[in-house]
Structure formats: C-alpha cells, structure tokens
Amino acid sequence: MPARALRVGIGGPVGSGKSSLIAALCRDLAADERVGVVTNDIYTTEDARFLRSTGVLPESRISAVQTGGCPHTAIRDDIAANLEAVSELEESAGPLDLVFVESGGDNLTAIFSPALADVQVFVIDVAAGDDIPRKGGPGITRADLLVINKTDLAEFVGSDVGAMVRESEARRDRLPVAATSLRGPEGATRVAAWVRDRLAAFREHGHLHSSAEGAPDHHHDHPHVH
Amino acid sequence: MDALMLVLADSRFPAGAHAHSLGLEEAVNQGLTDVPAFAAARLRLVAEADARIAVAARRGDADGAEAEWLARCPSPILRDVGMRLGAQLLRSAAATWPVTPRRTPRPVALGELGAAAGIDDEGVALLALYDDAATVTSAALKLLPLDPAVTTSWLAELAPQMELAARAIAADDRPLADQPAPAAVALELAAPVHHAREERLFAS
C-alpha cells in the first residue's frame, strides 16, 4: 500500500464546474474512501466555503491555499504551497486515501505538475463554446481524463456535444473523455468510476504515471523499482 | 557572486513566495501607495532582523536562531507564514542540496541552506534582504496599476542599501541575542486584519 493518499488534480477554466464536480465525487466516494480536498482560490475562499456548505466532507478535510493571483504557477511552476497543504491535511486529518487538489480557474494552458498530482482531470463545459476542444492546449490534450461538463445546457447554447467529444478524442490519442451533466440522473458516476479505477491502480503499483508526464500509465507489464 | 546565489535569488525558485506580499496587500488596503518606501522600511526593520537570523543559522546554531526568531516574531499569524515559507524552501531545496525538509522559520531555513550550498555569511544576508524586497515589488504589480520595468528599477535603487546591510550583518560576530533586533509593529498589527479579510490575493 502507498504511504500517502492518491493526489488527483482537478483543473479547467473558471466556471466549468470543478467545485461542483468535486462535491459530486466526494458524495459518491466518501462512503468508501477517506477523501480530502485542497482548493486554490483566486481571490476568496469561495470554493472551500462552497464545499464546506455542501456538507459532503468534514470541515477538517478541506483546506484552502492562496495563489497570489497565479493559479497556474501554484499547480505547475511553484507547487510548494500546495505540497505543503496536502501534507498538512494528511497529517492533521489523515490518514487519507484520496486528496483532490482543485486548481483556481485558469486558461487552457494550465496543467498540474506530476510532482503535485498523480493524475489529473481537466474540466471544460459546453456553455463556454463548442470550439474549446479545437483550441487545444495541454489540459485538453494531456489530462488523464477530460470532462465535458454541463451537457444539459447544450441545446440552449447551441453547442454540439457529439462534435466536442469527437474533436477531443481526436486530439487525445485514446485518453478518455467523459461528457457529463452533474444535474442529470447520472451525475458524476462515470468520473467517480474512473477515480476508483485510478485509486485501485495506485494501490496496486504504489504510484501512477500521469499522461501529463508524456508517459501515460501503461499498467505495468514490467516490475519496477524506484 | 556565484551562479548558485543566482539560482537561489531567482524568483522562479519554487519556494512558494509568489503567494505572499509580506504585508504589502494589507498596507495597500489601508491606503499605501509608496511601495519603494514600504520595501525600504522592511529592509531596515524586519528584513534586517531576518537576515541576522539567517546568518546565525548559517553559522551552525539553527535551534538558537529559531528561538531568537520566535522571540522577535510574536504574531501567531506571521509565525505561521514564516514557518510555512521555511518548510516550502527546504522542501524544494532538498532536491538539490543536502537539507532536510521541516517546519522552521524561513530565515533559519535559508541559513541552513546557505551552509549546505556553501554560501558565505554576506551572501546569505544579501539573499535574505533581496528576496524580501523582490517579493514586495513583485506583489505590487498585482495590487496597484504599475509598470513592471519601474518596479524593477525600485529594486535596483535599493541595491546599495541591501549591500551595506549585508556587509554589516556579516561583520557582526556577536551572539544573536546581543545584536540589534529591529521590528515593525504595524506589520504585526496589520497581519490579523489581512488574514481575516474575505477577499485577498495573497496569503500574507
């Protein structure tokens, strides 16, 4: 068993539904796993407060990090504050099985350092325009899971969900894409199943290779030593 | 001056300082506009005190330096900020130098790191002072409408003050307890006000 929790990065533009996705995932996973969350707010602790207000986790399992106006720096170029927050959370509220690190909403180039997130999810939504997958960027192309959220809004904003999924898949070389509507009956079920699968692999191997490292997890047909 | 000093002085060194304004955000909230005066005052007061702590830690007495730092930093919020920045510095530095990550005040961490990296007393003092001023001027860009070329020129204008102070601190071989301990009470009083704000960009 790994000595620490699996760290799952959740990134994506402002308003794409990262916090709601995390709340839904906590609701789904918290019965079986000990879950913690570190939020990276831009200007307030709104995301942490939202999560606390949902009551899906004990307050002691939620921690907020300030990013000095640089959300991408805090998850990629200088991850010191986030690493510190994750280990403080594990010490104070642990042991934990799983920690979600929620990036502050940012642009399409933001991606987590593999030293911070073992695996990462990038969340976009249909209401921001169905040309987003064509715009690409490392979040779209390299995140371990791409979530296309708010599919329930597609008909109202004139977005073509099928095309978004196809264009995303074309850029992602077999990495998975999940079209979700957190308000629909299915909610975050598929994403939660993916997280469970990653957690099982993490437990089996003691670590994971994120696709963001350029070496997607190859399920280890070789034994290896670190 | 060697290249190792430049690595440590580079704002891209990943020790988490980008999330801190060292009190500037709250000062701006309360009407401050003269950023160079703020940075210069920090240099004369808390940054000098921190540089002395860093040099004492570099000379080998990290525990003594930490105790003196705690005595000079009564604010629980500023203590937490200093400890966090120290832990983050050691955590990132451990990939390069033989230091052990732990919660300790940033100046103590810097002094230990200076010893591990072979940087002399004056170099460690200069790093402590420069980092303080550079953190303030870089935060200023996000708080006030400023030209980044101009904020950099402020840093350059402060260089002689930093060099003089670093030389004096390195030449002072008295025990830390007998050295000057300049403080800035206004910063200590402003820290909890900043911490309690709903809206803030910076962790300090």
Side-chain angles (χ1 to χ4, degrees), chain A residues 41-45 49 66-70 73-74 77-85 87-88, chain B residues 11-20 25 84 87-88 91-92 103 142 198-203:
Chain A
D41 280 301
I42 306 297
Y43 197 47
T44 62
T45 53
R49 196 166 47 198
Q66 251 82 31
T67 59
C70 292
T73 303
D77 312 69
D78 184 349
I79 58 176
N82 269 312
L83 286 176
E84 197 60 18
S87 63
E88 276 177 16
Chain B
S11 67
R12 288 163 290 194
F13 189 86
H18 69 93
H20 294 262
E25 181 167 36
R84 212 169 277 259
Q88 292 173 182
R91 185 192 287 275
S92 291
R103 254 177 95 80
K142 294 172 186 158
E198 279 293 314
E199 297 192 349
R200 59 191 163 98
L201 272 181
F202 291 97

Side-chain angles (χ1 to χ4, degrees), chain A residues 98-176:
Chain A
L98 184 65
V99 174
F100 290 111
V101 181
E102 178 184 357
S103 161
D106 206 332
N107 60 45
L108 296 174
T109 64
I111 192 156
F112 284 82
S113 161
L116 174 60
D118 298 300
V119 285
Q120 52 189 303
V121 179
F122 198 73
V123 186
I124 59 174
D125 75 281
V126 302
D130 61 8
D131 56 344
I132 297 260
R134 288 200 295 281
K135 292 184 179 176
I140 304 270
T141 56
R142 280 167 31 210
D144 298 278
L145 175 67
L146 177 68
V147 170
I148 300 174
N149 196 18
K150 306 188 191 176
T151 53
D152 51 304
L153 296 183
E155 59 177 309
F156 305 109
V157 295
S159 283
D160 181 343
V161 178
M164 288 182 85
V165 171
R166 274 195 310 280
E167 285 167 7
S168 299
E169 283 175 340
R171 288 177 162 274
R172 286 172 55 75
D173 184 30
R174 285 179 306 195
L175 287 168

Side-chain angles (χ1 to χ4, degrees), chain A residues 10 19 144 151 208 223:
Chain A
I10 308 280
S19 302
D144 298 278
T151 53
L208 287 178

